[in-house]
Amino acid sequence: SQQGEEDPQALSIQEGENATMNCSYKTSINNLQWYRQNSGRGLVHLILIRSNEREKHSGRLRVTLDTSKKSSSLLITASRAADTASYFCATPLYGNNRLAFGKGNQVVVIP
Amino acid sequence: EAGVAQSPRYKIIEKRQSVAFWCNPISGHATLYWYQQILGQGPKLLIQFQNNGVVDDSQLPKDRFSAERLKGVDSTLKIQPAKLEDSAVYLCASRRTGFNTEAFFGQGTRLTVV
């Protein structure tokens, strides 16, 4: 089954620094999505990038997509303590929209 | 717009007992997912519905898990009998029809099997 794999798995940074995490996938996609999960809560959608897009911004988030390398990156600029969470990439399969998630990145922002 | 509602939030049961989870998706969302998330891992898809039909249940342990979505709206996920390894958070999500749409998640049900 198709599944995103995030790298690195855990990241600890100081408030104000940038956090970058990567995701790789295995088969062709029509979009890639990033989600955030705060401890003990459900997942919240952050950003969706389509297969024909290379870069997308949303507030302090910047996502890139390289379909030739089957990889994506999520950059959080000027991190805040509230950004402490797990971040997951997800890819829907063609045909049935099955949404498969990776293992996630645990990001800790130290005030 | 109301979000995805799930209940209960927490459940503790003994092994071999049965349990049921309920999900009310966002109105108009044809796609509904149930995920199992074990602590420290990513969500694992258990079953996907499109309206009231099953699209994908390849990872559902059918000997003990069952799910239904009556009238293409609310859904229930049942475990019978539960095992210790079923301890996890069960997440429900819904999504509008279309490839380039995001999923909306409920808060999840945290199940502890003792």
Side-chain angles (χ1 to χ4, degrees):
Chain A
S1 62
Q2 180 179 9
Q3 195 167 30
E5 291 288 339
E6 294 89 349
D7 174 60
Q9 296 287 305
L11 186 63
S12 183
I13 57 174
Q14 295 288 331
E15 199 167 33
E17 293 181 336
N18 295 341
T20 301
M21 58 206 88
N22 301 306
C23 166
S24 59
Y25 56 92
K26 298 175 183 175
T27 63
S28 296
I29 59 172
N30 46 37
N31 69 69
L32 186 141
Q33 303 177 26
W34 285 92
Y35 289 79
R36 182 186 73 225
Q37 185 178 37
N38 293 93
S39 180
R41 309 291 293 272
L43 281 78
V44 174
H45 178 262
L46 294 176
I47 197 163
L48 180 153
I49 186 166
R50 302 186 182 203
S51 59
N52 62 352
E53 297 176 312
R54 291 296 167 260
E55 187 171 314
K56 198 164 184 179
H57 296 255
S58 177
R60 293 184 295 111
L61 305 179
R62 173 179 168 254
V63 169
T64 62
L65 180 65
D66 186 335
T67 53
S68 66
K69 296 181 179 178
K70 291 186 168 57
S71 68
S72 173
S73 69
L74 170 66
L75 167 68
I76 305 173
T77 60
S79 63
R80 303 168 182 170
D83 294 328
T84 294
S86 293
Y87 293 83
F88 297 90
C89 68
T91 52
L93 287 179
Y94 274 116
N96 65 5
N97 265 341
R98 177 183 178 184
L99 197 58
F101 285 83
K103 297 177 183 177
N105 274 283
Q106 176 68 43
V107 175
V108 175
V109 180
I110 303 166
Chain B
E1 178 179 68
V4 176
Q6 286 189 250
S7 67
R9 284 296 313 276
Y10 305 93
K11 190 75 177 179
I12 301 174
I13 62 172
E14 295 182 350
K15 58 184 179 183
R16 291 186 289 275
Q17 285 187 326
S18 63
V19 64
F21 312 125
W22 173 82
C23 173
N24 178 235
I26 292 173
S27 178
H29 283 195
T31 303
L32 185 147
Y33 306 92
W34 281 103
Y35 288 89
Q36 178 193 59
Q37 186 176 24
I38 293 172
L39 186 65
Q41 299 182 18
K44 170 189 168 186
L45 180 67
L46 293 176
I47 190 167
Q48 176 185 343
F49 292 94
Q50 183 70 19
N51 295 308
N52 61 348
V54 175
V55 173
D56 187 339
D57 63 357
S58 58
Q59 299 187 97
L60 186 74
K62 298 180 186 65
D63 57 334
R64 298 184 301 105
F65 286 65
S66 65
E68 61 181 6
R69 189 181 184 195
L70 298 176
K71 300 181 182 179
V73 182
D74 292 4
S75 178
T76 56
L77 176 69
K78 297 179 182 178
I79 308 175
Q80 183 180 7
K83 294 184 175 181
L84 296 177
E85 57 262 36
D86 298 332
S87 294
V89 175
Y90 291 84
L91 296 163
C92 178
S94 70
R95 191 176 177 193
R96 287 182 292 110
T97 300
F99 286 115
N100 293 311
T101 58
E102 71 268 36
F104 293 83
F105 282 79
Q107 296 281 48
T109 296
R110 182 177 298 277
L111 173 68
T112 303
V113 182
V114 298

